[in-house]
Amino acid sequence: MKSKELSVDLRDKIVSRHKSGEGYKKITAALKVPMSTVASIIRKWKKFGTTRTLPRAGRPSKLSDRGRRALVREVTKNPMITLSELQRSSVERGEPCRRTTISAAIHQSGLYGRVARRKPLLSKRHKAARLEFAKRHLKDSQTMRNKILWSDETKIELFGVNARRHVWRKPGTAHHEANTIPTVKHGGGSIMLWGCFSAAGTGRLVRIEGKMNAAMYRDILDKNLLQSALDLRLGRRFIFQQDNDPKHTAKISKQWLQDH
């Protein structure tokens, strides 16, 4: 059974008598306190310079420092590892513990479980080209940017997989490659669309029936591009932005753009 803690006043009296030269037995007899308690209080005073109650460490962790470092290494190496997998690896190291213990240990290292962002799968060539494009237009004025009409095609899956994956990451690292899920434009049960937008809003959205070729792309531009620019009040002097898709760079597409 746990005994009651001595008052601060009584602890101060023990230290005061010790300073005056009294021995442990004399202090015990005078204050009616067990000799082991007197010795413990005096040891604490000598070590910490106080008789006040120090902050307690709480229940000892089930994880050793080595086990905690091992968990952080696993999470850093594979941010998408699950708590169940981490729990199994802890058991294999001889340190079985609860999922909440593992989670708390990882949180202490600044890593938190978050839903992984989805980003297009890019090759090194794509990344280099995008960075070069961004640097080239870094100093463009906002007025010029407001005159850009951006366009592209996209495939929207009607029955896509919407399952979320969680990832262990530090704040501010949501878009780091290791913390994202690469996405590609494929899958069954989908529709293909062409659309455009500017700083002023969205333009027309066109559903593409069948497989699009250069002739179909030219017809889409002919029926929707200029009208979208007028709807967005861009006027007839604006910058049309498209990517280097073969249908966009075909001769008939270039000729249409040249003519218009």
Side-chain angles (χ1 to χ4, degrees):
M1 184 174 178
K2 188 177 179 181
S3 60
K4 187 177 180 180
E5 195 173 63
L6 294 183
S7 67
V8 175
D9 183 56
L10 185 53
R11 282 179 267 171
D12 287 341
K13 286 181 180 179
I14 291 172
V15 172
S16 178
R17 285 174 175 267
H18 173 71
K19 286 181 179 179
S20 65
E22 289 187 15
Y24 290 4
K25 287 185 178 180
K26 195 171 182 180
I27 295 173
T28 296
L31 300 178
K32 302 295 190 288
V33 176
M35 190 181 297
S36 59
T37 303
V38 171
S40 176
I41 290 172
I42 293 173
R43 276 199 309 271
K44 177 182 176 181
W45 171 75
K46 288 180 177 179
K47 184 175 181 180
F48 300 105
T50 181
T51 59
R52 271 47 177 182
T53 302
L54 298 173
R56 289 173 169 80
R59 181 179 177 181
S61 175
K62 288 283 187 180
L63 279 171
S64 64
D65 290 339
R66 183 179 179 183
R68 188 176 288 103
R69 290 195 299 270
L71 286 173
V72 173
R73 280 198 303 271
E74 287 187 72
V75 168
T76 304
K77 186 177 180 180
N78 178 18
M80 293 190 183
I81 193 169
T82 65
L83 275 174
S84 298
E85 291 170 332
L86 290 171
Q87 194 173 26
R88 283 196 293 271
S89 66
S90 292
V91 172
E92 291 171 1
R93 284 192 300 270
E95 291 187 327
C97 53
R98 300 172 63 182
R99 292 158 62 98
T100 52
T101 303
I102 295 173
S103 182
I106 297 172
H107 289 170
Q108 289 175 2
S109 299
L111 296 162
Y112 301 90
R114 298 290 185 266
V115 176
R117 306 288 178 88
R118 293 179 178 271
K119 293 180 66 176
L121 179 62
L122 301 176
S123 65
K124 289 184 178 180
R125 181 174 60 84
H126 292 148
K127 293 175 183 178
R130 291 187 178 203
L131 180 60
E132 192 276 329
F133 176 87
K135 288 180 177 179
R136 189 168 68 246
H137 294 281
L138 187 62
K139 296 182 179 180
D140 291 352
S141 67
Q142 188 60 45
T143 301
M144 196 206 82
R145 291 174 182 169
N146 290 342
K147 300 293 288 184
I148 300 175
L149 183 62
W150 307 82
S151 75
D152 201 4
E153 300 83 34
T154 187
K155 181 179 287 186
I156 298 179
E157 294 189 30
L158 301 179
F159 305 102
V161 178
N162 295 319
R164 300 193 304 174
R165 284 293 305 274
H166 284 74
V167 61
W168 295 101
R169 64 174 177 81
K170 293 185 177 181
T173 62
H175 294 286
H176 287 192
E177 187 171 356
N179 299 334
T180 60
I181 298 176
T183 61
V184 293
K185 297 180 179 179
H186 67 85
S190 61
I191 58 173
M192 179 71 78
L193 300 169
W194 175 90
C196 60
F197 70 92
S198 74
T202 55
R204 290 190 170 187
L205 189 66
V206 181
R207 180 172 180 177
I208 301 168
E209 300 288 351
K211 187 175 181 180
M212 189 173 77
N213 53 30
M216 190 183 297
Y217 180 66
R218 178 197 57 192
D219 293 340
I220 289 174
L221 296 182
D222 193 49
K223 295 176 182 177
N224 299 280
L225 180 58
L226 296 177
Q227 188 58 51
S228 293
L230 292 173
D231 293 343
L232 295 170
R233 299 182 179 179
L234 295 177
R236 289 190 173 272
R237 295 183 63 82
F238 63 91
I239 301 169
F240 176 55
Q241 179 72 38
Q242 62 177 7
D243 59 23
N244 289 324
D245 186 287
K247 296 179 286 295
H248 302 170
T249 57
K251 288 184 179 179
I252 59 174
S253 300
K254 287 184 176 180
Q255 187 60 51
W256 186 93
L257 292 170
Q258 185 66 37
D259 294 342
H260 294 78

